[in-house]
Amino acid sequence: MMTSLNFDAQDGILRSFSDAPPTHYTVKIQSLSLLTKNSLDKYESGDFEAGGYKWKLVFYPNGNKSRNVKDHISLYLVMSGANATQISREVYAVFRLFLLDQNKGNYLVLQEQNERRFHGMKLDWGFDQFLSQKAFTEASNGFLLDDTSVFGAEIFVCKERSTCKGECLSMVKDAVMYKHVWRIDNFSKLDAEFYDSKTFISGDQKWKIQLYPKGKGNGIGTHLSLYLALADPKSLPPGSKIYADFMLRILDQVNARHQFGKVNFWFSASNPECGWWRFITLGFLSQAGMGFLSKDTCIVEAEHLQSSTVVKFTTMSMNNVNFDDQYGILRTFSDSMPTHYTFKIQSFSLMSKHSLERYESEDFEAGGYKWKLVFYPNGNKSNNVKEHISLYLVLAGANGPQTCWEVYAAFRLFLLDQNNGKYLALQEEQKERCFHGIKLDWGFDQFLSQKDFADASNGFLVDDACVFGAEVFVRKERSTCRGECLSMIKDAVMYKHVWKIENLSKLDKESYDSETFIAGEQKWRIEFYPKGRDDGKDSHLSIDLALADATSLSPTSKLYAQFTLRLVDPVYSHRHFEYGTKATWWFSASSPKRGWPKFITLGIFGDESVGYLENDSTIVEAEVTVLGTASALD
């Protein structure tokens, strides 16, 4: 007689006995006590088929510790042969799990009252407290005899449906730092635009170092440029990306004072490289005694640590959701998955370990617009958020200077309770929010307290994994008025350009232009008028700073720059001539240059005893700092 069993109704779980064995699969475990002895906390059966899908049973002899189960055995049915990046369907199924009473030859059967929904974010259902360990080990009950037990399952698939988009972020546990050393001989003879190192493997990906001996972009002609790049970016699945910490350095082979740069970056097929235009000046690189070029050999090192990967996947489509009319932030639970996008974070704890303060999802479409989710695992510090996680919806593919539309949208942001297969959904008190070029994001600074998020009993963070999502319903849109965006540049860099003009006595044109140089990501030139211009004509030398390609600016864009123009005295530096102090000016397509028609009188300039004219040559210097940009909100 089974005196130790209690069949009180608990949470809708139906318990019964059946003489019929399980229809689809049976698992017999012999020497069960050795599972614990050998630290085997769980046992997974082989795959079996039912209803056109593959399944397996997962058994915890001492209870599922990740769900804080104590004094019970746990048993689950798991949809196998699929995971968050592979499964593309929702499968609704009724199932029963069995435990054999070996004394009587019948089965204890546990069944939920309702069908359950298996999908990429919730592959398992079952019973945390299938049976107390006391009842399971009681010999009179017959469940454990001669250290042997028998379990089983039968499944009836009711319906299925698919699909919407999502992604999975996987942080790499115990990521390994890889170092690659590249020796470059005969450096002075390098004549190609760039060179690639041999391919090396780090974090299951192929990488290479790219070196531009004469510079790239804003470093052309002045700096050596250095990059880390994916060796085969086309091998990545569409939409996938890799987060990596890396350091590039050029070794000082004499003094061990290496030149290095360190950064982290999301690599992808569309962004396969990251590095520095201006890694080291060509003058400093070749300077005698520095050791960067020893016997015409340069040594470059890369230290690389792959911290995570993101893989795009397809998951389930959902029903539309009605918004209720309560005030405040509405917190509800939903059985339906987010309609438009889902992303899963694995090895969540490693985000903080790798200093990943925020994560931006890939773009997804809803209502004819592109959006993305932005998640702060430790709260949005810029909004002074503490002890909470923050989650936002952002209008993507647009920014302040580009978008001229207001988009009114209602939205809900989701967090999966993995224990119950339901979603915590947060919604603003207003039915819709206005997204536009000045305010691209809306969401929740305090989406959930970190205490509640981390509590295993809530199911939001299970096995160091969590699942977020979004659904967006665009209500209306309209074009906004015209405007502009001013962006001041933090830590603006001053660029100096030196121009030597020879054979001055033979100059017969009205004006001459220096070589083009780059400052503040714009091309510039110096304009020199040997006989003057405007009200300085025939009496003064005139000098201007000008945009080299003013037509590349849009008609409403402008650049705010500080600059100095000077004539150099090659003997006495304290006698350089510059007109007043530093000048500032808004440069634009309609006003592309600024300078002085009466920079210096031709008489003073032509007097060789003054020092600006030597051997029929003069030297002009320009120092340019771009301090800000202004663009129209088109």
Side-chain angles (χ1 to χ4, degrees):
M1 186 171 182
M2 298 184 183
T3 55
S4 59
L5 290 180
N6 186 347
F7 289 101
D8 294 338
Q10 299 178 15
D11 301 323
I13 297 174
L14 306 177
R15 300 171 189 264
S16 60
F17 278 90
S18 172
D19 291 324
T23 306
H24 294 113
Y25 204 68
T26 302
V27 179
K28 183 176 183 178
I29 302 176
Q30 296 176 320
S31 303
L32 186 140
S33 61
L34 295 181
L35 293 178
T36 301
K37 182 178 180 180
N38 293 316
S39 301
L40 196 61
D41 293 328
K42 73 174 182 178
Y43 175 74
E44 296 186 6
S45 76
D47 293 351
F48 61 93
E49 290 192 9
Y53 293 89
K54 289 185 177 181
W55 312 84
K56 62 184 175 184
L57 287 172
V58 178
F59 169 59
Y60 293 80
N62 298 307
N64 187 348
K65 302 303 184 198
S66 67
R67 297 184 183 177
N68 297 322
V69 178
K70 299 178 180 178
D71 303 323
H72 286 75
I73 61 172
S74 303
L75 187 64
Y76 304 92
L77 176 68
V78 178
M79 195 172 193
S80 63
N83 55 43
T85 62
Q86 295 171 334
I87 186 169
S88 61
R89 307 197 73 80
E90 264 184 337
V91 177
Y92 291 78
V94 174
F95 64 92
R96 301 199 301 168
L97 301 186
F98 293 69
L99 175 58
L100 177 63
D101 173 358
Q102 299 171 63
N103 290 335
K104 294 186 175 181
N106 60 6
Y107 288 84
L108 170 64
V109 181
L110 270 69
Q111 175 183 350
E112 301 216 39
Q113 289 182 335
N114 301 315
E115 64 187 18
R116 286 298 192 180
R117 179 167 51 90
F118 295 81
H119 53 81
M121 301 303 167
K122 180 64 175 175
L123 293 167
D124 66 296
W125 286 104
F127 307 98
D128 293 335
Q129 298 182 346
F130 185 90
L131 190 67
S132 72
Q133 288 181 323
K134 180 179 179 181
F136 177 65
T137 57
E138 175 66 54
S140 63
N141 291 334
F143 301 129
L144 184 62
L145 289 183
D146 298 327
D147 208 20
T148 299
S149 59
V150 179
F151 297 89
E154 56 186 25
I155 305 110
F156 304 97
V157 174
C158 305
K159 58 183 177 179
E160 60 184 25
R161 56 178 182 164
S162 61
T163 63
C164 84
K165 292 183 177 180
E167 67 184 70
C168 176
L169 167 64
S170 299
M171 302 301 295
V172 178
K173 187 176 183 181
D174 300 326
V176 177
M177 177 70 73
Y178 180 88
K179 179 186 285 188
H180 182 73
V181 180
W182 180 22
R183 180 188 176 98
I184 307 167
D185 295 320
N186 301 315
F187 188 88
S188 62
K189 297 180 180 179
L190 301 182
D191 55 3
E193 179 186 0
F194 68 92
Y195 294 84
D196 291 342
S197 72
K198 290 183 179 179
T199 298
F200 59 94
I201 295 177
S202 176
D204 297 326
Q205 289 293 329
K206 293 181 179 180
W207 303 85
K208 63 184 178 182
I209 306 169
Q210 289 186 330
L211 180 141
Y212 293 75
K214 302 300 182 185
K216 177 183 179 182
N218 283 352
I220 289 179
T222 59
H223 290 71
L224 177 141
S225 304
L226 201 59
Y227 293 81
L228 178 70
L230 288 167
D232 186 15
K234 293 182 180 178
S235 66
L236 288 179
S240 299
K241 52 187 179 180
I242 298 167
Y243 181 73
D245 294 298
F246 69 92
M247 178 188 294
L248 297 179
R249 64 168 67 92
I250 295 180
L251 300 188
D252 179 345
Q253 303 166 57
V254 175
N255 308 299
R257 293 181 298 190
H258 310 315
Q259 180 84 0
F260 71 92
K262 186 176 182 180
V263 74
N264 50 53
F265 187 71
W266 282 104
F267 291 86
S268 65
S270 58
N271 289 289
E273 63 182 27
C274 179
W276 293 269
W277 280 339
R278 297 178 173 180
F279 190 83
I280 186 172
T281 65
L282 295 177
F284 194 53
L285 176 72
S286 59
Q287 186 173 330
M290 291 308 300
F292 297 121
L293 287 177
S294 179
K295 297 180 181 179
D296 205 25
T297 295
C298 178
I299 299 177
V300 179
E301 282 186 352
E303 287 188 357
H304 176 269
L305 178 69
Q306 182 174 322
S307 303
S308 69
T309 60
V310 172
V311 180
K312 300 279 284 186
F313 65 88
T314 308
T315 185
M316 292 57 62
S317 65
M318 303 298 122
N319 299 323
N320 290 337
V321 179
N322 294 321
F323 292 89
D324 43 31
D325 296 321
Q326 300 177 27
Y327 290 97
I329 295 176
L330 307 176
R331 288 179 166 86
T332 59
F333 277 91
S334 172
D335 289 321
S336 296
M337 288 185 64
T339 307
H340 294 114
Y341 204 69
T342 304
F343 77 85
K344 180 177 183 178
I345 300 176
Q346 295 175 321
S347 302
F348 172 86
S349 60
L350 297 182
M351 296 185 76
S352 295
K353 180 179 178 181
H354 293 302
S355 302
L356 195 60
E357 294 295 332
R358 79 174 199 167
Y359 176 71
E360 295 187 8
S361 77
E362 288 291 305
D363 294 354
F364 62 92
E365 290 192 9
Y369 291 88
K370 288 185 177 181
W371 310 84
K372 62 184 174 184
L373 288 171
V374 177
F375 170 59
Y376 294 80
N378 297 308
N380 186 350
K381 300 295 190 265
S382 64
N383 289 351
N384 296 319
V385 178
K386 298 179 181 179
E387 300 176 352
H388 286 75
I389 60 173
S390 303
L391 187 64
Y392 305 91
L393 176 70
V394 179
L395 185 61
N399 57 42
Q402 293 174 335
T403 183
C404 63
W405 284 89
E406 287 180 336
V407 179
Y408 291 81
F411 63 93
R412 297 204 302 172
L413 304 185
F414 293 74
L415 174 60
L416 176 63
D417 172 359
Q418 300 171 64
N419 291 341
N420 298 306
K422 294 185 177 182
Y423 284 84
L424 170 64
L426 268 68
Q427 173 186 347
E428 296 253 16
E429 69 172 307
Q430 294 177 248
K431 282 194 172 182
E432 57 192 31
R433 285 292 194 182
C434 178
F435 296 79
H436 53 80
I438 309 302
K439 179 64 174 174
L440 293 167
D441 65 297
W442 287 102
F444 307 98
D445 291 335
Q446 298 183 343
F447 185 90
L448 189 68
S449 73
Q450 289 181 319
K451 181 180 178 181
D452 289 337
F453 177 68
D455 189 335
S457 64
N458 291 332
F460 301 129
L461 186 63
V462 175
D463 295 331
D464 209 22
C466 53
V467 180
F468 295 91
E471 56 188 21
V472 188
F473 304 98
V474 174
R475 307 297 194 191
K476 59 182 178 180
E477 60 185 22
R478 67 175 185 176
S479 179
T480 60
C481 64
R482 294 176 61 109
E484 67 179 67
C485 175
L486 168 63
S487 299
M488 299 305 293
I489 298 172
K490 185 179 180 181
D491 300 326
V493 177
M494 184 270 287
Y495 181 86
K496 179 187 285 188
H497 183 72
V498 180
W499 179 25
K500 184 174 183 179
I501 307 171
E502 298 178 326
N503 301 314
L504 273 167
S505 61
K506 297 180 180 180
L507 300 184
D508 55 2
K509 294 182 181 179
E510 179 184 0
S511 66
Y512 293 84
D513 294 340
S514 72
E515 291 183 352
T516 298
F517 60 94
I518 294 176
E521 299 184 4
Q522 290 293 326
K523 294 181 179 180
W524 304 84
R525 69 183 180 217
I526 305 168
E527 293 184 355
F528 181 83
Y529 295 78
K531 301 300 182 183
R533 67 170 175 85
D534 300 336
D535 58 350
K537 191 171 180 61
D538 296 328
S539 62
H540 287 73
L541 177 78
S542 305
I543 305 179
D544 294 327
L545 176 69
L547 288 168
D549 185 14
T551 57
S552 65
L553 290 179
S554 66
T556 52
S557 297
K558 51 188 179 180
L559 304 170
Y560 185 60
Q562 181 182 76
F563 68 96
T564 298
L565 297 176
R566 68 170 62 95
L567 291 172
V568 175
D569 184 331
V571 178
Y572 301 103
S573 61
H574 65 278
R575 295 197 306 191
H576 297 335
F577 181 83
E578 52 193 62
Y579 195 94
T581 58
K582 293 180 179 179
T584 55
W585 183 249
W586 282 103
F587 292 85
S588 65
S590 59
S591 184
K593 66 181 183 179
R594 182 68 170 173
W596 294 273
K598 295 182 177 181
F599 188 82
I600 189 172
T601 66
L602 294 176
I604 295 176
F605 174 66
D607 186 347
E608 290 194 7
S609 65
V610 176
Y612 305 129
L613 187 62
E614 185 179 57
N615 297 326
D616 205 25
S617 298
T618 192
I619 298 174
V620 180
E621 279 186 355
E623 291 181 352
V624 184
T625 307
V626 177
L627 301 175
T629 63
S631 307
L633 292 170
D634 292 327

